[in-house]
């Protein structure tokens, strides 16, 4: 979220946070709205219960195609805290036919329909220019998250969250 908020500040980007899970996942979206995310949607359906990375990427890709077709850039964390497989972002990108890059530690510039990024792992560093729309997996702990302001918390309480289930995708 912090990487997206920095893009919003630098490029007047519009951010939509999407989560997939049960209704208790709304807490994550409330925090995203409190931080400054513009819109939020929850993908919730009992059929999603126990989804692995393959099923999750199918649902996420379908939601982008059907509900958010004008998306330029999709940001994921490098890995999830539950399984740490690092597969959901790349799998979603493949299903969408978008280029993707993992281990992103800096978004240098967005220029027209291209994005310049830095990647780094234990064994290499690269500067890449990628055509958008694209998917980036942001390295964990690269950006220090900001703390929501009181106005953000107030907005998050009154926000009308979008909710989609499998029959709408």
């Amino acid at each position: 979220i912090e990487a997206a908020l920095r893009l919003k500040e630098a490029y007047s980007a519009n951010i939509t946070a999407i989560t997939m899970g049960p209704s208790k996942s709304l807490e994550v979206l409330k925090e995203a709205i409190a931080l400054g995310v513009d819109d939020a949607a929850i993908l919730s359906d009992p059929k999603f219960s126990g989804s692995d990375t393959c099923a999750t990427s199918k649902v996420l890709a379908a939601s982008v195609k059907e509900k958010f077709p004008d998306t330029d850039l999709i940001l994921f964390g490098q890995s999830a805290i539950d399984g740490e497989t690092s597969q959901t972002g790349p799998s979603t990108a493949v299903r969408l036919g978008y280029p993707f890059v993992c281990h992103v530690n800096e978004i240098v510039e967005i220029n027209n329909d291209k994005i310049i990024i830095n990647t780094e792992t234990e064994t290499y560093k690269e500067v890449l220019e990628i055509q958008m729309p694209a998917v980036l997996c942001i390295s964990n702990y690269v950006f220090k998250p900001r703390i929501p302001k009181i106005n953000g918390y107030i907005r998050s309480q009154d926000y009308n969250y979008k909710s989609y289930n499998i029959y709408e995708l």
Side-chain angles (χ1 to χ4, degrees), residues 71-107:
T71 299
D72 295 319
L73 189 61
I74 301 171
L75 303 179
F76 285 87
Q78 183 58 44
S79 59
I81 59 172
D82 57 355
E84 292 204 31
T85 62
S86 302
Q87 296 174 350
T88 305
S91 297
T92 303
V94 168
R95 291 180 189 286
L96 290 167
Y98 292 178
F100 68 92
V101 178
C102 297
H103 303 288
V104 174
N105 67 0
E106 182 182 12
I107 298 170

Side-chain angles (χ1 to χ4, degrees), residues 49-158:
S49 179
S51 293
D52 61 6
T53 56
C54 180
T56 300
S57 69
K58 283 181 182 179
V59 172
L60 292 174
S63 72
V64 170
K65 286 178 184 176
E66 296 296 320
K67 303 298 181 183
F68 310 99
D70 296 328
T71 299
D72 295 319
L73 189 61
I74 301 171
L75 303 179
F76 285 87
Q78 183 58 44
S79 59
I81 59 172
D82 57 355
E84 292 204 31
T85 62
S86 302
Q87 296 174 350
T88 305
S91 297
T92 303
V94 168
R95 291 180 189 286
L96 290 167
Y98 292 178
F100 68 92
V101 178
C102 297
H103 303 288
V104 174
N105 67 0
E106 182 182 12
I107 298 170
V108 178
E109 179 183 359
I110 296 176
N111 193 349
N112 295 324
D113 58 351
K114 295 189 181 190
I115 185 165
I116 299 170
I117 55 162
N118 288 330
T119 66
E120 183 174 357
T121 68
E122 294 173 1
T123 57
Y124 71 88
K125 290 182 182 184
E126 286 186 287
V127 177
L128 301 170
E129 182 178 87
I130 307 298
Q131 184 74 35
M132 295 192 302
V135 173
L136 304 180
C137 296
I138 307 297
S139 292
N140 297 342
Y141 313 110
V142 168
F143 297 110
K144 181 180 179 192
R146 62 189 70 192
I147 297 171
K149 296 186 167 111
I150 190 68
N151 290 346
Y153 279 120
I154 293 168
R155 181 173 176 256
S156 73
Q157 299 306 311
D158 297 331

